[in-house]
Amino acid sequence: MELEQALHAARALVLADLVANDVADADIVSLVEDAVAHRRWWVEQWPAGAEFVAGLIAQDVQDALLERYGRWPLCPVCTESGDPHALDVEPELGPDPHWVCPKTAVAVARVGRLGAPAEH
């Protein structure tokens, strides 16, 4: 049951970020479902990794979006550089994943909190 809770929580966090960026249409939500299904097997094999699944699903969705639609989520820190780039999930494999600008190392938001007021 804990594994399913971790998967559902991760799904909700990634969907919240997609909604915050106004890109949560049906095709993209299907990408989230595919990522959750893929990571279900992974976390069943390594239950201790349940706390890492939110960041992994976020990365999976980000990779799938890049292949089909383009970069997501775009970095809000470097808007004036003329070089739009996506945020990265850090840590790549760890608890408490954040969206981070790869150029400035600025943590923009926790996964699931894009578009939310800044945390202090």
Side-chain angles (χ1 to χ4, degrees):
M1 190 61 153
E2 292 176 18
L3 301 180
E4 285 301 313
Q5 289 174 340
L7 289 166
H8 288 295
R11 177 186 182 275
L13 291 173
V14 174
L15 286 174
D17 285 344
L18 290 166
V19 168
N21 286 175
D22 199 28
V23 293
D25 66 27
D27 291 341
I28 293 174
V29 171
S30 292
L31 297 176
V32 176
E33 298 304 329
D34 291 346
V36 170
H38 171 75
R39 291 300 174 175
R40 177 174 282 111
W41 178 89
W42 180 86
V43 79
E44 286 171 352
Q45 304 307 306
W46 189 42
E51 66 180 324
F52 308 148
V53 78
L56 293 170
I57 289 174
Q59 291 174 56
D60 293 345
V61 170
Q62 185 179 42
D63 291 346
L65 283 169
L66 181 60
E67 291 175 13
R68 294 184 179 131
Y69 300 102
R71 295 181 188 110
W72 175 85
L74 290 179
C75 178
V77 176
C78 302
T79 57
E80 296 179 16
S81 70
D83 179 26
H85 55 276
L87 297 172
D88 289 341
V89 174
E90 290 186 12
E92 287 187 30
L93 184 62
D96 195 26
H98 282 69
W99 292 109
V100 176
C101 172
K103 293 187 177 197
T104 64
V106 170
V108 173
R110 289 181 177 183
V111 168
R113 302 284 298 162
L114 281 177
E119 298 172 5
H120 298 286

